[in-house]
Amino acid sequence: MEPNLVQFKKGVLELCVLALLSRADSYGYDIASRLSEAIDMGEGTIYPLMRRMQKDSLVSTYFVESSSGPPRKYYALTEHGRQSLNSQRTAWTSFSKSVSAILGVEETESSPSTAPQLLPNPIALTVQKTVRNTKA
């Protein structure tokens, strides 16, 4: 896997977990499975993240008896977690739109599962560099 792709996934992992938990409380394996399906993220990265998110008061935990083994530890979004989700979602939306504009890619909101469409006229960027004469 491309090193950049790994970093992209790590960068949005907390946001994705917060978004999943905003829909319903869940246990670690279920969260890991859904992330694995959606963004091919391994199970081993979830549990350290969940411990950190609990320490940061983004999630709380409780146990539910399971018919197939020991009680499951469920994670629930706290009010602080909801606030974090809202601010991260806003930042992500703005950031992803900016990156898409730079790449010349149009995101279609009506069909998020489709591949991005190339814009007919990609945005041109001009970079200016000031050169100093260092000779005295």
Side-chain angles (χ1 to χ4, degrees):
M1 182 180 305
E2 287 266 341
N4 287 343
L5 187 54
V6 171
Q7 292 304 313
F8 294 159
K9 289 178 182 182
K10 284 182 182 179
V12 298
L13 190 56
E14 181 179 300
L15 173 59
C16 291
V17 170
L18 291 172
L20 289 175
L21 290 176
S22 73
R23 297 177 191 142
D25 297 357
S26 192
Y27 56 96
Y29 182 77
D30 183 51
I31 295 168
S33 296
R34 293 197 283 168
L35 287 173
S36 177
E37 289 174 16
I39 60 173
D40 193 30
M41 187 54 83
E43 182 182 336
T45 58
I46 296 304
Y47 294 102
L49 173 64
M50 299 310 297
R51 281 190 295 276
R52 184 185 58 75
M53 290 175 69
Q54 185 178 3
K55 182 180 168 222
D56 293 346
S57 300
L58 298 173
V59 299
S60 60
T61 61
Y62 60 93
F63 287 90
V64 174
E65 290 296 325
S66 171
S67 60
S68 61
R72 289 185 173 152
K73 184 180 198 177
Y74 272 73
Y75 297 90
L77 211 54
T78 63
E79 184 55 36
H80 181 59
R82 262 182 227 298
Q83 291 170 359
S84 181
L85 170 61
N86 289 335
S87 65
Q88 287 187 48
R89 181 183 287 143
T90 299
W92 172 258
T93 301
S94 174
F95 178 74
S96 63
K97 284 181 182 178
S98 297
V99 170
S100 293
I102 290 169
L103 295 175
V105 175
E106 180 180 337
E107 293 185 29
T108 56
E109 292 209 18
S110 60
S111 55
S113 62
T114 61
Q117 303 297 314
L118 291 179
L119 291 172
N121 297 318
I123 297 170
L125 295 179
T126 303
V127 178
Q128 295 179 342
K129 182 177 179 181
T130 304
V131 180
R132 290 188 322 195
N133 186 353
T134 57
K135 294 180 183 178

